[in-house]
């Protein structure tokens, strides 16, 4: 059996009396994309900090590529790439200088900054100071920086937040390309659609605990309500909505009635979103 | 700790720090103060030291002294006129060469020279003149001769010239301002812009980052100390020892800077603390500015142990025995601060 890329074993961290991460356990297989979801203050960032060696767990173990993180910090950090939510580039340096600095710190031999910048669509602005970049360009450079060492594990924290659709799409494509390369991706996000689209599995974190962890489809099947939404033409000619819940004993009869007795204008299936499921499980929204 | 990564980070610091306003300020401010002080007190273009001589016999040393370019030698008829000239500041140092002085020298006897020193003469002159006299005596004897100079200070001893009283302040500013402010502002800036977070998830450790910033601070600090001492013509006779002390003082300044950088959140707070707490750092400077203040008060400040050896070597012509205790205490403080940095760095990692 292939070794998991990331293993959290009863991982815990607290700040005084506040338990930020409460003995969570999960694993991420090599080449898998895990969407890590939760509202602000749920403990996502603290978890990522323990996994990336920025914080030493107060309890439990963080294991990356078979190595205990605090005990092999330098080795672990040479195998990971991290893209932070907040822009933390050297603003007075150019894109090339930023990438070259980190490539040297990662001891990357024959690093081609231009090729990487081309990949994220910044090749033409390679020598411009970063302070003159737009938010989307900076974010793409952040992603590029996390890739300088061709990491085996990539931690991406809200990589598309606040970006225009083109930049977001470019970053999503890079994530998928990285998975294709064999990288394991730990994607922290608020964006349910993004998590749904990209992740092989998603983990919901709330108040320091993982409350659900599965494939998006399985979660939807387990917690969601599948339904058909129809728009019918009423007696006075106005459009009215009808909903037929699927997977119940009444469903066939309801469907028959709909088509026999109503004048159906449009009909489509509807499944629960990850946001609906999160609210159902935790009683709170992701943006709270 | 990894030397390669430290050198990479140091390269970044060297390339980008000169664009930092603090780097410019750390160089400009002490130099500007030095220039103002030296121009105001006339030491920048000061004349050669004046040596007064009473020649009771017929010593050749007088002629030899008058032939020198580095000193202005004047002769006086008797000891009372020499004393008068010394007391009034007409000469920086007056010496009396007794009868048969040259014979005694040639026979290799121990030479004792009575010397009068003007209380307000510049320290560099007080250091230079005895050295010149000793060299002349050896030249006259054609061999190594033990020379003892028994000095008596004339005039107001307390009234050390302001140009000299300011030197400890100027040197201290050069060493401590750059050494402390450059690493602290650089570290705070990295925290505020969150680039620190980006660095610590690379294989570079927090100690690599701190050492790189520290080295830049030490280089700037020692460089500024040396430049200011040279500009003030106060480098003294023990230049290597002085540079060594400057180096130890620079380490202390940099360590304090790194501690401040690790603990303080923003540049504004740093400046507030600098303004309010600067007195603790600069306390010993006032001891040298105002000699009426008892020197033991200075010993209460940790920075005294960096400043005292510098003053002793550069202004008072002292040697190792005069500074040994302070230097050992300074080394102790430097080592202690390493542990404080380690604690501050751990806290920084948890907060970042």
């Amino acid at each position: 059996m292939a070794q998991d890329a990331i293993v959290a074993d009863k991982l815990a961290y607290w700040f005084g009396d506040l338990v930020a991460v409460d003995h969570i356990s999960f694993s991420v297989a090599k080449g898998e994309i895990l969407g890590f979801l939760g509202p602000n203050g749920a403990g996502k960032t603290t978890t990522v900090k323990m996994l990336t060696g920025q914080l030493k767990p107060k309890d439990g173990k963080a294991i990356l590529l078979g190595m205990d993180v605090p005990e092999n910090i330098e080795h672990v950090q040479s195998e990971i790439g991290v893209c932070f939510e907040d822009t933390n580039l050297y603003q007075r340096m150019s894109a090339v200088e930023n990438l070259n600095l980190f490539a040297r710190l990662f001891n990357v031999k024959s690093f081609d900054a231009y090729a990487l910048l081309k990949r994220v669509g910044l090749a033409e602005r390679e020598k411009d100071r970063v302070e003159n970049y737009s938010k989307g360009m900076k974010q793409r450079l952040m992603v590029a920086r996390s890739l300088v060492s061709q990491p085996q594990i990539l931690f991406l924290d809200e990589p598309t937040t606040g970006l225009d659709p083109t930049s977001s799409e470019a970053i999503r494509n890079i994530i998928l390309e990285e998975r294709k390369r064999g990288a394991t991706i730990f994607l922290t996000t608020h964006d349910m659609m993004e998590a749904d689209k990209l992740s092989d599995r998603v983990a919901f974190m709330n108040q320091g605990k993982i409350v659900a962890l599965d494939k998006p489809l399985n979660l939807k099947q387990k917690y969601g309500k599948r339904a058909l939404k129809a728009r019918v033409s009423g007696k006075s000619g106005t459009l009215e909505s009808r909903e037929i819940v699927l997977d119940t004993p009444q469903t066939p009869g309801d469907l028959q009635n709909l088509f026999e007795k109503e004048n159906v204008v449009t009909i489509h299936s509807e499944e629960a979103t990850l946001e609906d499921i999160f609210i159902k499980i935790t009683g709170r929204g992701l943006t709270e | 700790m990894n030397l390669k990564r430290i050198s990479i980070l140091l390269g970044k610091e060297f390339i980008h720090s000169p664009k930092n306003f603090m780097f410019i300020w750390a160089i400009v401010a002490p130099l500007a103060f030095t220039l103002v002080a030296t121009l105001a007190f006339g030491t920048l273009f000061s004349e050669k030291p004046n040596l007064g001589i009473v020649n009771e016999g017929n010593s050749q040393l007088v002629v030899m002294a008058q032939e020198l370019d580095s000193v202005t030698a004047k002769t006086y008829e008797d000891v009372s006129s020499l004393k008068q000239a010394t007391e009034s500041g007409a000469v920086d140092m007056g010496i009396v060469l007794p009868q048969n002085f040259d014979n005694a020298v040639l026979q290799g006897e121990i030479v004792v020279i009575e010397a009068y020193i003007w209380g307000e003469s510049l320290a560099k002159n007080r250091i230079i003149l005895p050295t010149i006299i000793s060299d002349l005596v050896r030249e006259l004897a054609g061999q190594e001769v033990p020379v003892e100079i028994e000095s008596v200070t004339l005039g107001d001893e307390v009234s050390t010239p302001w140009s000299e009283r300011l030197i400890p302040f100027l040197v201290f500013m050069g060493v401590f301002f750059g050494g402390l402010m450059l690493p602290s502002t650089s570290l705070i800036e990295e925290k505020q812009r969150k680039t620190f977070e980006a660095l610590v998830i690379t294989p570079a450790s927090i100690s690599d980052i701190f050492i790189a910033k520290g080295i830049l601070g030490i280089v700037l600090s020692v460089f500024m100390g040396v430049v200011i001492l040279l500009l003030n013509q106060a480098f003294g006779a023990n230049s290597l020892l002085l540079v060594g002390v400057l180096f130890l003082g620079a380490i202390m300044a940099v360590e304090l800077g790194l501690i401040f950088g690790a603990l303080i959140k923003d540049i504004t707070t740093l400046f507030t603390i600098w303004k309010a707490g600067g007195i603790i750092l600069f306390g010993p400077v006032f001891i040298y500015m105002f000699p009426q203040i008892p020197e033991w008060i200075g010993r209460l400040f940790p920075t005294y142990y960096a400043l005292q050896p510098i003053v002793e070597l550069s202004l008072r012509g002292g040697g190792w025995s005069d500074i040994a205790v302070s230097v050992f205490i300074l080394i102790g403080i430097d080592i202690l601060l390493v542990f404080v940095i380690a604690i501050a760095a751990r806290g920084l990692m948890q907060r970042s």
Side-chain angles (χ1 to χ4, degrees):
Chain A
M1 192 178 124
Q3 185 187 54
D4 286 320
I6 303 171
V7 176
D9 182 17
K10 299 188 180 96
L11 203 55
Y13 200 90
W14 52 88
F15 301 95
D17 293 336
L18 178 74
V19 179
V21 177
D22 193 1
H23 298 91
I24 60 171
S25 297
F26 62 89
S27 60
V28 187
K30 280 186 177 171
E32 185 181 10
I33 299 179
L34 179 77
F36 202 57
L37 314 173
N40 292 331
K44 302 188 301 290
T45 304
T46 309
T47 304
V48 171
K49 283 189 171 183
M50 285 190 282
L51 292 174
T52 55
Q54 294 172 76
L55 280 178
K56 194 175 176 182
K58 294 274 173 95
D59 201 6
K61 277 187 180 300
I63 296 166
L64 264 65
L65 303 166
M67 295 176 282
D68 184 89
V69 176
E71 285 174 17
N72 300 278
I73 186 82
E74 196 178 317
H75 197 166
V76 166
Q77 287 181 333
S78 66
E79 300 292 350
I80 64 172
V82 182
C83 177
F84 298 87
E85 181 181 8
D86 297 320
T87 304
N88 57 4
L89 298 158
Y90 286 100
Q91 302 283 329
R92 287 196 285 256
M93 291 185 188
S94 68
V96 170
E97 285 171 333
N98 266 282
L99 295 185
N100 281 336
L101 170 68
F102 281 80
R104 289 201 303 273
L105 288 173
F106 276 100
N107 198 24
V108 181
K109 308 272 190 258
S110 59
F111 173 67
D112 186 352
Y114 185 78
L116 189 51
L117 286 171
K118 198 172 173 187
R119 207 173 144 200
V120 295
L122 291 173
E124 286 168 14
R125 303 283 300 272
E126 59 174 312
K127 287 179 182 164
D128 289 6
R129 275 187 172 200
V130 171
E131 62 192 356
N132 298 323
Y133 280 13
S134 68
K135 160 107 177 132
M137 290 164 76
K138 285 177 183 172
Q139 193 60 31
R140 277 183 276 159
L141 182 57
M142 295 271 289
V143 173
R145 188 181 65 184
S146 69
L147 301 176
V148 291
S149 60
Q150 294 205 303
Q152 291 197 52
I153 304 174
L154 199 51
F155 290 89
L156 302 171
D157 192 359
E158 306 284 356
T160 58
T161 302
L163 298 188
D164 59 88
T166 314
S167 293
S168 298
E169 196 53 35
I171 289 173
R172 284 187 202 115
N173 287 336
I174 289 167
I175 293 172
L176 293 172
E177 282 168 24
E178 283 303 300
R179 191 209 4 216
K180 215 171 179 180
R181 180 175 67 80
T184 305
I185 294 158
F186 194 92
L187 176 68
T188 309
T189 182
H190 278 106
D191 187 337
M192 292 292 144
M193 299 288 280
E194 183 170 271
D196 202 353
K197 213 186 271 186
L198 295 173
S199 308
D200 297 309
R201 287 188 303 153
V202 291
F204 287 157
M205 193 160 189
N206 189 40
Q207 294 175 336
K209 292 181 175 169
I210 289 183
V211 290
L213 172 59
D214 209 335
K215 291 178 181 170
L217 189 63
N218 292 351
L219 286 172
K220 286 172 192 170
Q221 283 178 344
K222 189 172 176 185
Y223 296 102
K225 180 182 73 175
R226 297 195 314 136
L228 282 176
K229 286 266 186 187
R231 305 269 280 171
V232 297
S233 180
K235 285 175 186 166
S236 58
T238 55
L239 287 175
E240 293 170 10
S241 293
R242 299 284 183 271
E243 184 183 280
I244 296 171
V245 177
L246 299 176
D247 309 319
T248 69
Q250 293 80 31
T251 304
D254 289 346
L255 262 176
Q256 195 174 359
N257 283 339
L258 179 73
F259 283 102
E260 282 178 2
K261 295 177 181 171
E262 306 260 21
N263 182 16
V264 177
V265 180
T266 63
I267 187 164
H268 61 270
S269 62
E270 191 181 76
E271 59 182 13
T273 65
L274 290 177
E275 173 106 40
D276 297 334
I277 296 165
F278 189 86
I279 292 169
K280 194 169 181 180
I281 294 171
T282 65
R284 64 194 286 218
L286 274 165
T287 49
E288 280 173 29
Chain B
M1 196 177 82
N2 180 296
L3 287 179
K4 190 180 174 192
R5 282 193 283 269
I6 290 172
S7 67
I8 293 166
L9 291 167
L10 188 59
K12 171 185 84 74
E13 297 290 333
F14 267 109
I15 291 167
H16 295 282
S17 289
K19 297 171 195 162
N20 183 334
F21 75 99
M22 189 48 65
F23 187 90
I24 298 162
W25 186 239
I27 290 176
V28 169
L31 289 181
F33 274 109
T34 302
L35 202 64
V36 169
T38 50
L39 284 173
F41 298 107
T43 52
L44 185 61
F45 307 108
S46 63
E47 293 174 353
K48 294 185 279 189
N50 293 314
L51 176 67
I53 307 171
V54 172
N55 197 358
E56 289 181 339
N58 193 19
S59 174
Q60 288 300 304
L61 196 120
V62 178
V63 181
M64 291 164 70
Q66 283 171 335
E67 283 172 355
L68 288 176
D69 290 330
S70 56
V71 67
T72 306
K74 302 172 185 173
T75 52
Y76 291 86
E77 289 297 317
D78 48 48
V79 175
S80 66
S81 6
L82 178 70
K83 278 183 170 178
Q84 206 177 351
T86 310
E87 212 163 338
S88 67
V91 294
D92 294 289
M93 180 185 272
I95 56 171
V96 181
L97 302 177
Q99 283 195 348
N100 298 321
F101 177 77
D102 289 7
N103 284 340
V105 168
L106 290 167
Q107 282 164 23
E109 292 175 12
I110 295 173
V111 178
V112 180
I113 298 175
E114 196 179 340
Y116 301 102
I117 296 168
W118 177 38
E120 293 178 54
S121 68
L122 295 175
K124 68 178 176 87
N125 294 343
R126 293 188 210 183
I127 295 169
I128 290 168
L129 285 172
T131 312
I132 289 174
I133 293 163
S134 302
D135 288 345
L136 287 175
V137 172
R138 277 168 202 141
E139 199 184 323
L140 186 67
Q143 59 179 320
E144 283 294 315
V145 178
V147 181
E148 280 181 21
I149 297 174
E150 288 182 350
S151 60
V152 178
T153 305
L154 299 176
D156 187 359
E157 283 187 60
V158 177
S159 57
T160 311
W162 270 99
S163 56
E164 246 179 69
R165 294 194 204 182
L166 283 174
I167 292 175
F169 167 72
L170 296 170
V171 175
F172 198 77
M173 193 169 182
V175 173
F176 266 76
F177 192 70
L180 191 150
M181 294 301 264
L182 191 64
S184 55
T185 50
S186 169
L187 197 51
I188 290 170
E189 206 172 70
E190 296 252 25
K191 287 196 298 181
Q192 282 186 300
R193 294 185 175 170
K194 295 179 186 282
T195 47
F196 181 79
E197 207 179 348
L199 287 179
V200 292
I201 54 90
T202 69
S205 65
I206 193 164
S207 53
D208 295 339
I209 299 167
F210 273 44
I211 290 169
K213 290 187 187 302
I215 290 173
L216 181 70
I218 289 170
V219 169
L220 178 71
S221 183
V222 173
F223 173 76
M224 289 309 296
V226 169
V227 167
I228 287 168
L229 284 171
L230 285 174
L231 282 177
N232 286 282
Q233 301 167 44
F235 216 75
N238 290 304
S239 29
L240 269 181
L241 194 56
L242 184 55
V243 172
V245 171
L246 284 175
F247 179 71
L248 290 172
I251 290 177
M252 185 190 201
V254 162
E255 287 176 330
L256 290 171
L258 289 172
I259 293 165
F260 286 172
L263 298 177
I264 295 170
K265 276 184 184 171
D266 54 63
I267 302 282
T268 313
T269 312
L270 176 71
F271 276 103
T272 308
I273 289 172
W274 173 260
K275 280 187 270 182
I279 187 74
I280 297 168
L281 295 173
F282 276 78
V285 166
F286 295 103
I287 308 294
Y288 293 104
M289 264 187 175
F290 304 101
Q292 300 91 329
I293 302 173
E295 197 162 338
W296 67 263
I297 294 175
R299 293 177 201 276
L300 302 175
F301 300 89
T303 45
Y304 170 84
Y305 301 98
L307 193 58
Q308 187 268 341
I310 295 172
V311 171
E312 202 62 44
L313 293 175
S314 62
L315 298 178
R316 295 180 177 170
W320 170 245
S321 58
D322 303 301
I323 63 166
V325 174
S326 290
V327 169
F328 283 121
I329 294 173
L330 178 59
I331 292 170
I333 294 171
D334 284 353
I335 293 169
L336 183 72
L337 288 176
V338 172
F339 293 102
V340 181
I341 291 174
I343 294 165
R346 196 177 302 163
L348 174 61
M349 280 300 283
Q350 288 190 335
R351 288 192 304 277
S352 68

